[in-house]
Amino acid sequence: MNDLKLIQDYKQLSEYRLSFNELAAQVFHIDFEQWYQRGCWDDTYTCYSYIDGNTVVANLSVSRLELVLNSQHYKAIQIGTVMTHPDYRSRGLSRKLLEFVLSEYEAKCDLMYLFANKSVLDFYPKFGFSPVHEASFTVPASNQEPKRSSLRKLDVNVAADWELIQTLAAERQPISQQCGVIGATGIFLWYCLNVFGEDIYLIEDTQTLVIAQYEDKELHLFDVISKEPVELTALLATVISSAISSVHFHFTPKFNDIEVAATPSLVEPDTTLFIRSNCAGMSLPNPLRFPLLAQA
């Protein structure tokens, strides 16, 4: 440990940033460099890393944002990109990084949360984090005639489309007053660049972005970006086809016109939501599904 140094907030230092990116690619097979080069890595996302020389060997990142839970707003810290180079594991580096971040932010927020994979489910409860069960939400597809004329697929590599995506994302309402996020524009744009680049659609007459994937007879709805409240009836009439039989929501849906009931999850999740709250009396919505495109 004596030869390792703790550094933070170094995104503008290319040597460290590129080393961080190499570690992320090695551990999680993900990339941050394009996100940085496009100006999406803002000051709400901060890396805390151990370096050996000039090489990042362990990291824990913090995203500062605001959660909306049951229509109440909370200052929140999301912990993510927790990783250690294979040659430096079993030295307690993740534990030390987590302890440092807890000491830095505990008095500055109402709650902290993270998503943990199956290999570390026993780790985070040692630091006061509690697991939260997430539900699934599905609704039968409407029999309305699709209105394809107003739906246009966007391309993140077309300058005008990318500018529109950024503008709408920055001005959006939370996806839900039951469970929504404010200030996670950077995270959303990372998903647009790295995961859902082929799945971004614009409803032109309402200037609403929809992140969706079509699989056989199912539509997976990952996000809806709008400056105005969304009516599910109109939304489905635009995004479904006659072949779609059901719509699956990857967030907690709350619409004025249709109530979407929770359904038992048929697949064990890859990650588990953990929350550590400093706010007495805070209640979580039940059922709950955290917006996928706000997960760091």
Side-chain angles (χ1 to χ4, degrees):
M1 284 296 298
N2 293 334
D3 55 343
L4 302 184
K5 179 182 178 181
L6 177 62
I7 62 173
Q8 63 189 65
D9 196 18
Y10 51 79
K11 62 180 179 291
Q12 294 180 341
L13 302 176
S14 61
E15 187 170 26
Y16 295 144
R17 186 187 70 250
L18 293 175
S19 181
F20 159 81
N21 200 52
E22 289 176 4
L23 183 60
Q26 179 179 0
V27 175
F28 294 123
H29 309 292
I30 59 177
D31 176 79
F32 287 88
E33 187 60 17
Q34 181 182 199
W35 186 58
Y36 172 80
Q37 294 296 339
R38 293 221 190 182
C40 305
W41 185 337
D42 59 26
D43 291 337
T44 63
Y45 182 86
T46 302
C47 293
Y48 295 84
S49 304
Y50 278 116
I51 56 171
D52 188 350
N54 293 321
T55 302
V56 173
V57 298
N59 179 79
L60 182 152
S61 295
V62 165
S63 296
R64 295 177 295 280
L65 39 77
E66 186 174 336
L67 284 188
V68 182
L69 301 171
N70 291 324
S71 299
Q72 300 297 312
H73 291 228
Y74 300 94
K75 292 182 180 179
I77 295 297
Q78 181 175 192
I79 293 171
T81 328
V82 182
M83 57 186 180
T84 303
H85 189 283
D87 294 343
Y88 292 81
R89 291 174 184 168
S90 301
R91 298 192 190 185
L93 299 182
S94 292
R95 175 179 58 81
K96 290 183 177 295
L97 287 170
L98 182 55
E99 289 173 341
F100 179 82
V101 165
L102 290 177
S103 67
E104 285 285 298
Y105 288 99
E106 186 170 26
K108 301 176 184 177
C109 66
D110 298 314
L111 63 94
M112 301 182 185
Y113 68 98
L114 56 89
F115 291 85
N117 61 42
K118 298 174 184 179
S119 66
V120 290
L121 296 182
D122 295 332
F123 177 69
Y124 292 103
K126 300 174 183 178
F127 300 90
F129 288 87
S130 299
V132 176
H133 175 72
E134 292 187 275
S136 297
F137 294 89
T138 304
V139 67
S142 169
N143 292 323
Q144 299 178 69
E145 187 68 22
K147 297 188 296 186
R148 286 291 181 180
S149 59
S150 65
L151 189 67
R152 179 169 70 89
K153 190 172 184 178
L154 301 185
D155 187 338
V156 297
N157 294 312
V158 172
D161 285 357
W162 179 241
E163 182 178 356
L164 179 60
I165 292 169
Q166 289 180 294
T167 299
L168 293 177
E171 298 175 350
R172 68 174 298 173
Q173 286 194 357
I175 187 69
S176 167
Q177 291 296 316
Q178 296 298 107
C179 181
V181 180
I182 298 172
T185 302
I187 300 174
F188 170 80
L189 294 175
W190 185 91
Y191 278 101
C192 289
L193 290 171
N194 292 280
V195 181
F196 295 105
E198 299 296 321
D199 308 303
I200 307 171
Y201 301 87
L202 175 69
I203 304 175
E204 293 187 301
D205 54 356
T206 61
Q207 290 294 284
T208 299
L209 285 181
V210 177
I211 314 300
Q213 291 180 345
Y214 297 84
E215 296 181 0
D216 298 325
K217 296 182 178 181
E218 299 179 336
L219 170 63
H220 289 267
L221 198 57
F222 292 95
D223 208 345
V224 181
I225 296 88
S226 175
K227 292 187 287 186
E228 304 295 335
V230 174
E231 300 294 328
L232 184 57
T233 302
L235 177 67
L236 292 183
T238 305
V239 300
I240 65 170
S241 69
S242 58
I244 298 298
S245 61
S246 60
V247 180
H248 302 270
F249 299 87
H250 294 262
F251 52 88
T252 302
K254 184 64 176 178
F255 300 100
N256 293 327
D257 55 333
I258 297 178
E259 184 71 25
V260 182
T263 57
S265 179
L266 300 179
V267 180
E268 185 179 358
D270 294 329
T271 59
T272 297
L273 171 62
F274 282 86
I275 292 181
R276 185 180 193 266
S277 175
N278 303 325
C279 190
M282 186 193 77
S283 64
L284 296 176
N286 185 22
L288 161 72
R289 189 171 186 86
F290 197 92
L292 177 63
L293 271 67
Q295 297 180 21

